[in-house]
Amino acid sequence: MANIRKIARRTFLIGSAAIVGGAAFGAWYVNRPAENPLKTPEGGAAFNPFVLIDQNGITLIAKHVEMGQGSRTTLAALIAEELDVRLEDVRVLQGQPAQAYYNSALLGELVPGNGYDRGGFAHALGETLGVLGKVLNMQVTGGSSAMKDGFTQMRLAGASAREALKDAAAARLGVAKSQLKTENGQVIAADGTTLAYTELAAEAGQMDLSEPELRPASEWKYIGKSMPRVDMAGKVTGTAQYGMDVRPEGLKFAALRANPKRTGMTKFDASAAETMPGVEGVYDLGDAIAVVANNTWLAMQALEAVEVTWGAALYPNETDQIFARIEQGFDLEANSTMRDDGDAEAGAPTGSLAVEAQYKAPYLAHAAMEPLNATALYTGDAMEIWSGNQGPMLHRQHAAAEAGLTEEQVTLHTPYLGGGFGRRGDFDYTSYVARLAVQMQGTPVMLTWSREEDMRHDFYRPGALARMKGAVKDGRAVLLDGQVSAQSTTVQVMKRWMDFEVGGPDKGHVDAIFNAPYAIENHRVRGYHADVDVPVGAWRSVAASFNAFFQDSFMDEMAHAAGVDPLEFRLQHMREEFPEGAACLEKVREMSAWTGSTPEGVGRGVAFAYSFGTPVAQVVEVVQQDSGIHVNKVWIACDMGTALDPSIIEAQMFGGMVYGLSAAIYEEITFSNGEVEQYNFPDFDATRMHTMPEVEVAILEAQEHLGGAGEPGTPPIAPALANALFDLTGTRARELPLNKTFDFKY
Amino acid sequence: MATRLTVNGKQLNTDLPEDVPLLWVLRDEFGMTGTKFGCGVSACGACTVHIDGEAQRSCQVALGDVWGDVTTIEGLGTPDNMAVIQQSWLDHQVAQCGWCQSGQIMQAASLLAQNPTPTDQDIDDAMQGNLCRCGTYPRIRAAIHDAASKIGG
C-alpha cells in the first residue's frame, strides 16, 4: 500500500498521460473494496459505508461535508431513491474520516482535454483517474464534484441494502423474493404483511450482497424533484451544530493571533495579558499565540495585550511588488499551452482588425461567515477533534502529526460548516488547535479566530494578469492568443496538503480560458506560473474565477470591434463547437428578451463560462440611479445534465453568482509591509439585500454527463457585469474590483 | 458581581465582567449557540437578537448595558414548534451554509413586528446590515413577504 502511494507520487504529473499509468498500476488495489468504517450495530446491520439500520432507525451517511451547497440532502435522496425510505424518516450523518468516502470525481477534472467535447473514451479516462483519489486518501469536498462522485455509488448503496432486506424478509416469511416490494422503510408481502426495515436489519446483515440493477429514470420518485433540505429545520431554529457550537464538558475558550506576515515569531511578552480577566493561560504555538480563557471575547481582548515580534514575509512586502513578479511570470517558460489551434504565433491575419488588451484581477479572501475555529481534547494516547472542514482525512492526518499520534488515535468530527468556499480544505486551523490541545492534556479547548485573523490569514485566490491578443474579420474572430500569469493554486495546494511536488502542464490554472468553447481559427492559450509565494488556495471556482473575466471581457471587446452583437458573436463561435453551451446563451437571450440595445441609463452585458463540467451563461442588467449604479437583474442559464434537485441547483446558481458579484464589485486583498491590509467586512464588503439583483435561473438538461453545481455560477458574473458597464457608460474596465472604475450604489 | 439577565423568559446569572458583549455571554456562558459570531464589529448582523422585542447586534451590547428582556433564535421557536417566520424560511428553503440565518430571521422578525406589511424597499432598509456570503437574499425576501401574508392573515 505504501509503495502504491509512493509510485502515485512519483508519477503525479498533472494533466499528462503519466498519471493514468499510475492509476492503472494501482488498479488491483483501488478496485478492492475499502473497509467499511461503520461498525455493525447491535440488532442491526451496516450494509455498506452509507447505510446503517438498527432497531432505533435508519441512518444514511453523507460522504461529502455540508457547507451550504446542499449535497447532504441530495446524497441522501440518491440512497433513499433505491432504498425506498422517506428523507423525513431517516437520520443523515456526516461520514467520519475514512478511505471508503474517497472522492472518485475530483481528480477526474485533471484528465487531458477540454471537457466539453469529452467523448466516451475521455470520460472513462476521467473515471479511471478518479479512483486515484482513493490511493491518495482524497476524502475531499470540493471541485463541484459531489454529484459526479455520488450519483451511481449512492444509488447502488441504497439498492444493495434494499435487496438484502428483501432477502431477509423472504426467508422469514417463507415466500419468494419476487413476491415482495418495498416502500417507506418497509418490506411489503403480497398478502399485505409488512416488515419494517428496522426489525429485519439484523437478519439482512447476514445476507450475501449482490450488485443490484438500478432503477430507470422513469421510476424515480425523488431524483429530479426539489427535496426539502435535511439541514433546514436546524438552520432556521439555531439548533444546527457548527464547529463553533460544540460544547464538550469542561470546554475552555481560546483565541488565536498568528503572524500577519505568515512566517515565524521571534519573541513575545504576555505578562500583561496573563493577569487580564478570565485568562487562564497564554500558549506559544510556534508561529502564533493562543490565549485560553473562560470566554472567547476575554481571550481575544487579552491577545491584544500580548507584544509580539514577528518574522518577515517571504513574499514581496507591497502589492505592486507582488504584481511586478506576476508580470515577470510572462517572461518565464510557459507552464502550459493547452490550446494551440492554427497559427497564433503569426499574429493578426492579413486584412483583419487587431484587438489587444491586458487585464488584472486581485487577490481575494474567502470570508466565510463562520470565522475559522476548531476544538480538540487530547488525552495522551488519543485526541478528539471537532472541525468544520472540507477534507476529513487530510485534517485528521495533520492533527495526528501535530500530536505525535497515529491517525487511528484521532477521532475527527465534522459539524456543519458556516461556509467553506474552498478555505476549509486547508487544515491550518485544525493543526493549531491540535498543537494547543497537546499543551492542555485532559482539557477540551476551542480555538476561534477573530474575523480579522480569518481575513488576514487566508489562503487567497491568487492575483492574476492576462495579455490578450485577438483579431476580427468579416464579423468573426480569426485570432485569440491569451496568456495568463498567476501563482499556481494547484502547485501550492498539493504541496501543502499532500507534500506533492507536482509538475507538468497545470490544467486548473487555465480553466475557463483554454477550454472556452469558442471555435476560432488561430487560437492559443498559454499559462504561466508566477514565481511568488503569497499563501494561496482554492477559492470558489479557483482559476476560472479570473480566467472567465479575461476570456469573456475580451470576447466582448472583439465583438464590439467586429461590429456584431456580443451575444450573437459568442453564439457564432459556439453553436458547432459546443451546442449545449450555445443553448445556455440562447436561453438567457430569450429570458432577458435581449435585443442588443438598451435605453438611456440602462446597460446590459452577457458572458459565458464552462467550468467543472457545467456551461453557464449570464445576462446582467445595470441601471444608473441617483445614488450610483445598481445591478438590477441577472438571468442565468446552466446545464449540468440530469438536474438531481432543481431547488438546490437554483440556489447554487444564484448563490455562486452572488459570491462572484461581491468580488467583482467590492473585493480586493492588498499587502503593505508584508501584511494584508483588509481586516473585516467594512474593508471587504459584499453584496447585501439592497444591492442584490433580482435573479432568474433556467436549468437545462441536455448534457450527457453530470456537471458540477457549486462553482460554475461564479465565473461568468465578473465579465458579464464589466460588459454591462461598458454598455452603460462606454468605459471598458479591465481591472477588478469594478468599484475602482465605477460608482456603485451603496 | 453577578449580573442577572432574562433570556427567552428565563432568569440567568453570570459572573462575567460587565464589558463582555452579550453575544459571548449567550454563547460561551449560557451555551446558547444559536446566536452567531460573524465579525464582532456590527458589520454583518449574524449576532442579531431582540432586546425588548427590537433587533440589536449582540456583539455591540455590553453585558452591563443590557436594558431589557433578551430573545434569541432559540426563544423564537423550536424545530417542533416553529414561529411563523421560521416556517416561512423553511418553506422557501432559504438557508445554505446557514451561519447568518439566525441573525437574518431575528432581524426580519423585528421588522415584521414593527411593520406587518413591508414593501421591498422596507425590506432593503431593514435587512441591509445582515450579510449573507452564500447569497440567499432572494429567498429571504420571498420568505419575509410570505411570513407577512401569514401573520397579517
Side-chain angles (χ1 to χ4, degrees):
Chain A
M1 193 157 93
N3 282 340
I4 293 297
R5 288 205 68 183
K6 276 184 191 158
I7 289 162
R9 281 173 195 229
R10 273 211 304 275
T11 56
F12 204 86
L13 281 169
I14 47 175
S16 78
I19 190 170
V20 181
F25 190 89
W28 64 271
Y29 170 68
V30 297
N31 290 333
R32 205 175 53 180
E35 190 186 344
N36 188 346
L38 304 179
K39 305 239 179 336
T40 302
E42 199 174 318
F47 292 92
N48 50 56
F50 308 99
V51 180
L52 185 146
I53 304 178
D54 63 15
Q55 287 160 359
N56 298 321
I58 299 168
T59 303
L60 308 183
I61 309 296
K63 68 188 290 193
H64 291 274
V65 309
E66 180 56 63
M67 50 186 173
Q69 81 282 36
S71 65
R72 182 170 299 188
T73 300
T74 310
L75 289 169
L78 290 167
I79 303 173
E81 182 70 64
E82 292 283 347
L83 186 57
D84 288 328
V85 294
R86 291 179 298 205
L87 283 192
E88 59 265 39
D89 297 336
V90 303
R91 279 197 308 174
V92 188
L93 298 182
Q94 172 60 47
Q96 297 283 311
Q99 195 185 43
Y101 304 125
Y102 85 98
N103 185 331
S104 69
L106 189 64
L107 293 178
E109 270 289 311
L110 299 179
V111 74
N114 60 30
Y116 60 82
D117 67 352
R118 192 177 283 181
F121 173 71
H123 189 73
L125 200 61
E127 291 184 347
T128 306
L129 194 54
V131 298
L132 196 64
K134 182 172 168 186
V135 187
L136 303 178
N137 291 331
M138 275 209 145
Q139 182 186 9
V140 174
T141 301
S144 299
S145 60
M147 295 305 122
K148 296 174 217 172
D149 178 34
F151 179 56
T152 300
Q153 188 186 27
M154 292 306 105
R155 288 182 297 147
L156 281 172
S160 69
R162 179 197 71 219
E163 290 305 307
L165 288 157
K166 281 165 74 179
D167 285 335
R172 195 194 282 192
L173 297 173
V175 301
K177 188 177 168 187
S178 58
Q179 302 293 307
L180 301 172
K181 58 177 187 171
T182 48
E183 199 177 298
N184 296 342
Q186 297 178 321
V187 181
I188 303 169
D191 66 358
T193 305
T194 60
L195 289 169
Y197 288 178
T198 47
E199 55 177 301
L200 282 169
E203 290 153 64
Q206 305 302 314
M207 299 290 163
D208 289 334
L209 293 178
S210 53
E211 176 146 342
E213 278 195 26
L214 294 178
R215 289 173 175 155
S218 59
E219 291 179 19
W220 287 344
K221 303 179 296 288
Y222 304 143
I223 300 171
K225 309 278 195 310
S226 294
M227 302 294 286
R229 285 176 63 136
V230 297
D231 53 347
M232 194 58 70
K235 287 179 175 179
V236 303
T237 54
T239 55
Q241 193 177 64
Y242 298 80
M244 210 189 286
D245 299 338
V246 301
R247 290 292 180 273
E249 184 69 31
L251 180 67
K252 298 296 179 187
F253 299 93
L256 181 89
R257 193 164 149 215
N259 185 352
K261 304 173 202 289
R262 314 302 289 270
T263 52
M265 185 165 67
T266 313
K267 59 176 180 173
F268 72 95
D269 177 0
S271 50
E274 278 162 353
T275 58
M276 287 176 69
V279 172
E280 300 186 5
V282 180
Y283 292 85
D284 182 347
L285 302 183
D287 58 353
I289 305 283
V291 170
V292 177
N294 62 355
N295 185 282
T296 307
W297 187 79
L298 290 172
M300 288 178 180
Q301 296 304 110
L303 270 176
E304 298 292 318
V306 182
E307 292 190 18
V308 195
T309 309
W310 301 114
L314 295 176
Y315 43 83
N317 276 333
E318 309 298 322
T319 311
D320 289 351
Q321 298 167 340
I322 292 169
F323 272 89
R325 295 274 282 276
I326 298 171
E327 188 84 45
Q328 287 162 17
F330 290 116
D331 301 332
L332 304 173
E333 193 185 337
N335 165 266
S336 72
T337 306
M338 299 208 64
R339 187 164 202 148
D340 197 3
D341 303 335
D343 184 5
E345 188 66 31
T350 313
S352 66
L353 174 64
V355 188
E356 274 192 45
Q358 300 188 12
Y359 298 89
K360 182 177 180 183
Y363 286 82
L364 291 172
H366 295 79
M369 287 303 298
E370 180 191 11
L372 294 171
N373 66 88
T375 300
L377 169 62
Y378 173 74
T379 51
D381 57 0
M383 187 155 59
E384 190 166 7
I385 295 184
W386 295 260
S387 172
N389 73 87
Q390 294 178 240
M393 289 189 84
L394 186 73
H395 281 243
R396 184 179 66 167
Q397 176 196 332
H398 287 273
E402 289 287 349
L405 298 172
T406 65
E407 290 175 46
E408 291 69 28
Q409 288 173 299
V410 178
T411 304
L412 181 136
H413 307 281
T414 304
Y416 286 124
L417 284 65
F421 312 122
R423 175 64 178 93
R424 286 182 157 98
D426 268 291
F427 50 82
D428 49 337
Y429 56 103
T430 305
S431 292
Y432 276 129
V433 81
R435 210 176 293 170
L436 176 60
V438 165
Q439 299 181 56
M440 296 177 63
Q441 184 167 343
T443 302
V445 60
M446 172 177 291
L447 184 57
T448 300
W449 303 36
S450 64
R451 171 58 59 194
E452 292 80 4
E453 282 293 309
D454 182 296
M455 191 163 286
R456 304 183 78 218
H457 297 83
D458 204 342
F459 294 97
Y460 301 96
R461 196 287 300 272
L465 296 171
R467 294 176 176 175
M468 306 292 285
K469 290 181 184 174
V472 294
K473 187 181 178 186
D474 303 330
R476 279 190 70 98
V478 290
L479 169 70
L480 177 56
D481 188 11
Q483 294 170 278
V484 177
S485 178
Q487 288 184 248
S488 168
T489 301
T490 317
V491 168
Q492 216 188 76
V493 162
M494 292 304 277
K495 175 70 183 164
R496 198 163 59 233
W497 292 12
M498 318 192 92
D499 200 24
F500 275 10
E501 302 284 351
V502 295
D506 181 355
K507 181 177 162 185
H509 196 60
V510 287
D511 192 29
I513 180 162
F514 93 90
N515 52 354
Y518 299 115
I520 296 169
E521 201 178 325
N522 303 293
H523 194 172
R524 177 169 65 171
V525 176
R526 288 172 289 176
Y528 298 83
H529 282 181
D531 183 20
V532 55
D533 216 12
V534 174
V536 296
W539 186 95
R540 196 174 193 169
S541 80
V542 200
S545 65
F546 49 75
N547 286 330
F549 172 64
F550 306 152
Q551 168 66 38
D552 248 50
S553 292
F554 193 64
M555 206 64 191
D556 221 64
E557 300 208 41
M558 288 204 292
H560 286 285
V564 179
D565 173 76
L567 202 156
E568 183 55 36
F569 187 74
R570 286 172 175 77
L571 279 171
Q572 281 173 14
H573 295 83
M574 200 187 298
R575 276 198 188 96
E576 287 178 23
E577 181 77 7
F578 186 29
E580 294 88 343
C584 292
L585 280 166
E586 300 270 16
K587 188 67 189 176
V588 287
R589 176 158 73 179
E590 173 201 320
M591 290 162 76
S592 66
W594 177 277
T595 61
S597 64
T598 46
E600 183 67 26
V602 177
R604 281 186 170 193
V606 62
F608 172 94
Y610 173 79
S611 64
F612 304 93
T614 299
V616 180
Q618 296 176 353
V619 166
V620 180
E621 181 175 278
V622 292
V623 292
Q624 182 67 58
Q625 296 182 348
D626 292 342
S627 56
I629 294 167
H630 178 56
V631 183
N632 190 50
K633 183 151 186 178
V634 180
W635 294 267
I636 306 172
C638 61
D639 184 347
M640 57 201 73
T642 304
L644 302 182
D645 187 309
S647 170
I648 287 175
I649 291 169
E650 181 199 68
Q652 285 309 292
M653 273 298 132
F654 71 69
M657 182 277 292
V658 176
Y659 199 70
L661 181 67
S662 294
I665 297 177
Y666 309 105
E667 294 171 1
E668 177 178 34
I669 288 294
T670 56
F671 298 82
S672 178
N673 197 26
E675 302 183 15
V676 164
E677 295 183 287
Q678 290 70 33
Y679 286 72
N680 204 318
F681 291 124
D683 319 315
F684 195 85
D685 207 354
T687 301
R688 292 168 177 269
M689 181 62 87
H690 66 301
T691 46
M692 174 71 195
E694 269 187 74
V695 290
E696 207 175 301
V697 179
I699 302 167
L700 308 180
E701 296 185 85
Q703 280 214 116
E704 190 184 340
H705 302 296
L706 288 184
E711 293 165 282
T714 301
I717 188 64
L721 179 58
N723 297 339
L725 291 164
F726 177 75
D727 185 50
L728 179 72
T729 66
T731 300
R732 173 65 63 182
R734 299 189 180 93
E735 181 179 355
L736 298 176
L738 294 163
N739 66 359
K740 290 185 158 188
T741 311
F742 303 99
D743 290 326
F744 287 90
K745 168 184 161 181
Y746 266 91
Chain B
M1 198 188 78
T3 308
R4 172 172 287 198
L5 293 181
T6 304
V7 183
N8 301 332
K10 281 188 194 141
Q11 305 273 312
L12 297 168
N13 295 309
T14 173
D15 290 324
L16 283 171
E18 291 204 334
D19 60 347
V20 176
L22 175 60
L23 166 67
W24 295 107
V25 179
L26 292 169
R27 287 187 60 83
D28 293 359
E29 187 79 352
F30 299 155
M32 302 173 72
T33 55
T35 304
K36 304 305 190 192
F37 164 54
C39 69
V41 298
S42 198
C44 79
C47 66
T48 305
V49 300
H50 295 175
I51 299 179
D52 285 345
E54 203 174 322
Q56 303 290 342
R57 306 291 186 238
S58 65
C59 75
Q60 297 301 309
V61 179
L63 171 61
D65 295 339
V66 177
W67 58 86
D69 290 358
V70 176
T71 307
T72 70
I73 188 76
E74 292 96 337
L76 208 60
T78 62
D80 295 327
N81 185 24
M82 286 188 197
V84 171
I85 191 163
Q86 290 168 312
Q87 186 63 47
S88 292
W89 240 251
L90 186 121
D91 292 345
H92 287 267
Q93 296 282 293
V94 172
Q96 290 186 33
C97 95
W99 188 256
C100 74
Q101 297 297 343
S102 295
Q104 302 277 3
I105 290 169
M106 296 309 285
Q107 188 70 37
S110 177
L111 165 65
L112 290 177
Q114 290 161 22
N115 177 358
T117 54
T119 63
D120 280 336
Q121 184 62 50
D122 295 335
I123 292 172
D124 282 353
D125 293 344
M127 302 300 296
Q128 63 179 264
N130 290 78
L131 195 57
C132 173
R133 293 286 285 163
C134 299
T136 62
Y137 305 114
R139 292 188 182 183
I140 291 175
R141 187 185 298 282
I144 293 174
H145 283 308
D146 179 57
S149 71
K150 284 175 178 150
I151 293 166

